[in-house]
C-alpha cells in the first residue's frame, strides 16, 4: 500500500510539472492609472488636498482600480480632517463596489471618522456589525483592538478647554471592554483591558462592581494577591504556586480596589489593602514612578479613619496616620488638611492642650506647606 501511495504521488507531481511547463505565460499586470499613483504619492507626502484631487480623477476614469482610488480618497479626506467628506466617499465605495476588497477597511475608516465627529452611536453600529463578521481566531485580536480603541474614546475625559466634547460614557465603555475580553486576546492585552474595565465601572460610580472587577484582575495578574480581606485563602497565608508574572497594573489595581472599598464604606478592609500595598511597594523597592501611588495610599489611610470626624476608638490611630503622612509628604498640597484635621480632632475630643499645640504647629507651618497656584483653592 505504501509503495502504491508513493507511486501515485510521483505520478501526480510529474503531471503537475508537465502541465506547468506547458502552461502559457502569465498575463502582464494591468497598467496602473497615473492619477492613482499620483494620489498614492501625495498621501505618502501628507499632501492631502493634492491626493484628493488626483484620486478624484482616478475615480472618474472608472478603471479597474476605481474602488482602491475611492478608498484612498476617503483616507486622504480623513487625514485632512474632512470627516463628512470621508464618510460620503465611503458611501460611494459601498454603493458602487459592494464586493470590493477595500470595503471592510472602508467600514472601519468610516467608523473612525464617526469617532472623530463624536458620533459614537453611528461608530458603535459599524463596530458591532464588523465584530459579528470577523469571528475567526486569527482576526479576533485585531477586532478587539478596534473595540478597545472605541471604548477608550468613550471613557476619555475631555480636556478643560474642550467645551464641545460630550461627557464620558463609562457604562458603554465597560460593556465594550467586556466584549473585547470575550474574544481570544493575548495576555498583555487582557491585562490592560481588565484594568480599564474595572476603572470604567469605578468611574461610573458603581463601587460594588468595581470591587469585584479589581479582585478578578488581581486573581489573574497579581502573584502576591491572597484573596479578599477576611477570606480563608488570605487567612491561610499561602501564596500561589508557580504564578504567572505580575501584570502591569497590579499595584494600581490594589490601590483602586481600596479606593472603591472606601466609597462602599468598607473602611477596615480598604485600610488593610492599603497597608499591604505600601508594604509591597517597599519590598519591591519601587522607583520614583510609584511616589504618587505611595502618597495617595497614605492619604487614603487617613480617610479610612474619617478625619476630622474620627470615632473615639479610632482617634489615636487616625492622628498617627495623619502624622505619618505629614512626615513623608510635607510638600504635598494635602498636608495642609492633614495638619488642620489633627488640631480639629483634638479640639472636638475636648483635649484642649493637644488642640492648642496642634493649632500652633499649623500656624507656624511646622509640618506642612501651603500649595501654590490653583492647588491653594482646590477642594479635596
Amino acid at each position: 500500500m505504501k509503495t502504491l501511495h508513493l507511486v501515485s504521488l510521483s505520478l501526480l507531481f510529474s503531471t503537475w510539472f508537465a502541465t506547468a511547463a506547458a502552461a502559457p505565460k502569465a498575463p502582464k499586470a494591468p497598467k496602473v492609472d497615473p492619477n492613482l499613483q499620483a494620489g498614492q504619492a501625495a498621501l505618502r507626502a501628507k499632501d492631502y488636498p493634492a491626493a484628493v484631487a488626483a484620486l478624484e480623477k482616478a475615480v472618474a476614469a472608472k478603471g479597474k482600480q476605481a474602488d482602491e482610488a475611492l478608498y484612498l480618497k476617503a483616507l486622504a479626506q480623513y487625514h485632512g480632517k474632512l470627516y463628512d467628506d470621508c464618510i460620503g466617499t465611503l458611501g460611494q465605495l459601498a454603493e458602487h463596489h459592494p464586493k470590493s476588497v477595500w470595503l471592510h477597511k472602508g467600514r472601519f475608516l468610516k467608523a473612525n471618522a464617526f469617532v472623530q465627529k463624536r458620533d459614537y452611536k453611528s461608530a458603535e453600529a459599524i463596530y458591532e456589525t464588523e465584530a459579528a463578521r470577523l469571528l475567526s481566531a486569527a482576526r479576533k485580536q485585531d477586532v478587539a483592538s478596534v473595540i478597545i480603541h472605541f471604548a477608550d474614546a468613550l471613557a476619555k475625559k475631555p480636556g478643560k478647554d474642550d467645551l464641545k466634547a460630550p461627557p464620558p460614557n463609562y457604562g458603554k465603555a465597560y460593556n465594550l471592554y467586556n466584549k473585547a475580553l470575550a474574544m481570544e486576546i493575548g495576555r498583555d492585552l487582557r491585562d490592560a483591558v481588565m484594568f480599564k474595565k474595572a476603572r470604567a465601572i469605578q468611574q461610573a460610580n458603581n463601587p460594588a462592581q468595581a470591587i469585584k472587577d479589581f479582585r478578578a484582575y488581581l486573581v489573574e495578574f497579581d502573584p502576591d494577591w491572597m484573596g479578599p480581606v477576611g477570606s480563608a485563602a488570605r487567612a491561610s497565608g499561602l501564596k500561589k504556586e508557580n504564578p504567572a508574572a505580575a501584570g502591569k497594573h497590579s499595584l494600581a489595581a490594589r490601590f483602586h480596589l481600596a479606593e472603591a472599598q472606601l466609597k462602599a464604606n468598607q473602611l477596615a478592609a480598604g485600610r488593610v489593602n492599603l497597608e499591604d500595598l505600601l508594604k509591597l511597594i517597599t519590598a519591591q523597592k519601587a522607583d520614583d514612578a510609584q511616589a504618587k501611588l505611595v502618597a495617595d495610599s497614605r492619604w487614603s489611610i487617613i480617610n479610612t479613619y474619617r478625619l476630622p470626624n474620627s470615632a473615639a476608638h479610632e482617634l489615636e490611630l487616625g492622628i498617627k496616620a495623619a502624622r505619618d503622612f505629614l512626615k513623608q509628604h510635607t510638600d504635598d498640597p494635602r498636608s495642609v488638611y492633614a495638619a488642620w484635621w489633627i488640631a480639629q480632632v483634638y479640639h472636638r475630643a475636648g483635649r484642649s492642650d493637644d488642640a492648642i499645640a496642634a493649632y500652633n504647629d499649623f500656624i507656624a507651618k511646622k509640618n506642612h506647606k501651603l500649595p501654590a497656584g490653583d492647588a491653594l483653592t482646590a477642594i479635596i
Side-chain angles (χ1 to χ4, degrees):
M1 290 296 290
K2 285 184 179 180
T3 304
L4 181 60
H5 180 63
L6 288 171
V7 170
S8 300
L9 283 175
S10 177
L11 287 170
L12 177 64
F13 280 112
S14 298
T15 304
W16 183 87
F17 280 117
T19 305
K25 292 182 179 179
K28 291 182 179 179
K31 188 176 180 180
V32 178
D33 186 331
N35 289 311
L36 179 60
Q37 290 180 320
Q40 292 169 332
L43 260 173
R44 287 193 292 270
K46 299 183 180 180
D47 187 350
Y48 303 124
V52 171
L55 292 163
E56 281 179 343
K57 294 177 182 177
V59 172
K62 297 182 180 180
K64 292 184 177 180
Q65 293 175 291
D67 57 340
E68 181 180 358
L70 274 169
Y71 173 78
L72 294 178
K73 176 185 170 184
L75 187 62
Q77 290 167 329
Y78 176 87
H79 288 301
K81 299 184 179 179
L82 301 174
Y83 302 121
D84 287 324
D85 292 347
C86 170
I87 291 166
T89 300
L90 291 167
Q92 294 175 37
L93 174 63
E95 180 182 353
H96 300 300
H97 305 277
K99 296 182 179 180
S100 171
V101 295
W102 297 95
L103 192 60
H104 295 300
K105 290 187 75 173
R107 286 174 181 166
F108 282 117
L109 179 60
K110 189 175 184 180
N112 285 340
F114 278 126
V115 169
Q116 294 302 323
K117 282 167 55 65
R118 296 184 176 126
D119 184 353
Y120 297 128
K121 186 176 181 180
S122 298
E124 185 177 13
I126 294 173
Y127 288 140
E128 289 277 3
T129 301
E130 289 303 297
R133 182 184 66 85
L134 300 171
L135 294 176
S136 66
R139 304 177 87 171
K140 283 181 180 178
Q141 183 101 352
D142 290 338
V143 176
S145 296
V146 173
I147 293 173
I148 293 161
H149 175 74
F150 182 39
D152 290 346
L154 287 170
K156 184 179 179 181
K157 286 184 179 179
K160 61 180 181 179
D161 297 325
D162 193 357
L163 302 179
K164 294 183 180 180
N169 191 328
Y170 296 117
K172 274 194 172 182
Y174 180 81
N175 291 336
L176 287 173
Y177 288 135
N178 271 328
K179 288 182 180 181
L181 287 168
M183 299 180 179
E184 296 173 13
I185 59 177
R187 188 172 189 270
D188 288 346
L189 188 57
R190 184 174 176 81
D191 174 6
V193 176
M194 285 191 71
F195 179 75
K196 288 178 179 180
K197 166 189 165 180
R199 283 290 288 144
I201 203 66
Q202 181 184 23
Q203 290 170 296
N205 200 27
N206 187 341
Q209 185 61 47
I211 289 169
K212 293 178 183 177
D213 289 337
F214 281 121
R215 283 175 175 166
Y217 174 91
L218 292 167
V219 166
E220 192 164 339
F221 292 102
D222 189 340
D224 296 306
W225 178 250
M226 293 188 291
V229 174
S231 66
R234 194 174 188 124
S236 71
L238 297 175
K239 290 190 176 183
K240 301 173 185 176
E241 292 185 8
N242 303 316
K248 292 181 180 178
H249 308 282
S250 58
L251 296 178
R254 283 177 177 252
F255 172 76
H256 290 301
L257 167 62
E259 199 175 44
Q261 288 174 318
L262 267 61
K263 184 77 173 177
N265 206 34
Q266 299 176 17
L267 303 181
R271 185 187 308 135
V272 171
N273 282 325
L274 289 164
E275 290 169 347
D276 285 353
L277 172 58
L278 288 172
K279 290 175 185 174
L280 195 59
I281 292 174
T282 301
Q284 292 180 359
K285 297 180 180 179
D287 55 22
D288 292 341
Q290 304 301 338
K292 185 178 184 304
L293 188 58
V294 169
D296 289 346
S297 298
R298 288 199 176 108
W299 177 255
S300 295
I301 288 174
I302 294 174
N303 291 329
T304 68
Y305 291 109
R306 292 171 283 202
L307 265 67
N309 302 307
S310 298
H313 69 282
E314 293 181 328
L315 185 148
E316 293 297 342
L317 291 172
I319 289 173
K320 181 182 181 303
R323 292 194 187 282
D324 288 344
F325 182 86
L326 290 170
K327 182 179 178 182
Q328 299 294 332
H329 309 287
T330 303
D331 293 334
D332 192 295
R334 294 169 291 191
S335 64
V336 177
Y337 291 85
W340 179 250
W341 287 347
I342 290 172
Q344 283 192 307
V345 170
Y346 281 136
H347 192 173
R348 293 176 185 182
R351 293 170 55 171
S352 301
D353 291 342
D354 290 327
I356 290 169
Y359 281 129
N360 283 332
D361 287 345
F362 181 84
I363 293 167
K365 290 188 276 191
K366 184 176 179 181
N367 47 19
H368 72 275
K369 290 183 181 179
L370 286 174
D374 294 340
L376 182 62
T377 55
I379 299 174
I380 294 179

